[in-house]
Amino acid sequence: FPYTTLFRSGRFTATGGTNGVLSNNSTVAPNACGGSVTVTFYYVFDELPGGDSCMATFTVPNSPPVSLICPINTTAAACQTQAAVNAQFAAWLATVSGSGGCNGTITNNNTGAPAACGGSTTVTFTYTSSCAPLTTSCQATFTVAAPPTVILICPVNTTVAACQTQAAVNAQFAAWLA
């Protein structure tokens, strides 16, 4: 009763013997995020009731570690247009990067750029993966500097002599305005 049990290229085969039956003890595949399962394969036939067996391992490598790099806290110059601030803010948002895990996506809770007249917006960035860690977060702040304090110095109340020519009054008034 010659028989042969083979395990080649991920496929279990057996030949020979009478009424041969192939089976294995596998119940579940390894986790898609990483792990392994060792399976025992059996071949039982009439001439060898105890059968023959071999073992093989099926492995899924662990998912790569998650890396989330937040934008650098940034301060934009004061006295720009809102459109300019919005453009700088959008470019800043795009500097976030994330990798690792499985099927990773980056989201944020952005509610809009700060006001061009000064203010700040803190944004939470979240990297979501289908493998642990499922979520990783970081925060960064985009600030628009406040404009300089307004200082207004009015001219001193002035009285000039009466009965001058209009040209003289005009010249004194122009000097006072300056």
Side-chain angles (χ1 to χ4, degrees), residues 98-113:
S99 64
C102 292
N103 308 306
T105 59
I106 298 174
T107 57
N108 67 61
N109 69 343
N110 167 35
T111 58

Side-chain angles (χ1 to χ4, degrees), residues 74-77 80-95 113 142-144:
T74 299
T75 300
Q80 299 184 68
T81 65
Q82 189 63 51
V85 169
N86 291 350
Q88 290 173 11
F89 183 71
W92 175 80
L93 285 173
T95 64
F142 184 92
T143 303
V144 175

Side-chain angles (χ1 to χ4, degrees), residues 1-6 13-22 43-48 52:
F1 58 83
Y3 71 93
T4 306
T5 304
L6 301 171
T13 61
T15 58
T18 306
N19 299 316
V21 176
L22 292 171
Y43 182 56
V44 177
F45 52 99
D46 291 346
E47 293 85 2
L48 186 60
D52 194 6

Side-chain angles (χ1 to χ4, degrees), residues 55-160:
M55 294 172 55
T57 301
F58 185 92
T59 301
V60 175
N62 290 331
S63 62
V66 169
S67 172
L68 177 60
I69 301 170
C70 247
I72 297 169
N73 291 336
T74 299
T75 300
C79 301
Q80 299 184 68
T81 65
Q82 189 63 51
V85 169
N86 291 350
Q88 290 173 11
F89 183 71
W92 175 80
L93 285 173
T95 64
V96 67
S97 65
S99 64
C102 292
N103 308 306
T105 59
I106 298 174
T107 57
N108 67 61
N109 69 343
N110 167 35
T111 58
C117 293
S120 65
T121 300
T122 298
V123 178
T124 300
F125 298 87
T126 303
Y127 186 83
T128 304
S129 168
S130 60
C131 292
L134 300 178
T135 59
T136 303
S137 295
C138 62
Q139 286 188 329
T141 302
F142 184 92
T143 303
V144 175
T149 302
V150 174
I151 300 173
L152 178 61
I153 301 173
C154 283
V156 176
N157 292 336
T158 302
T159 302
V160 296

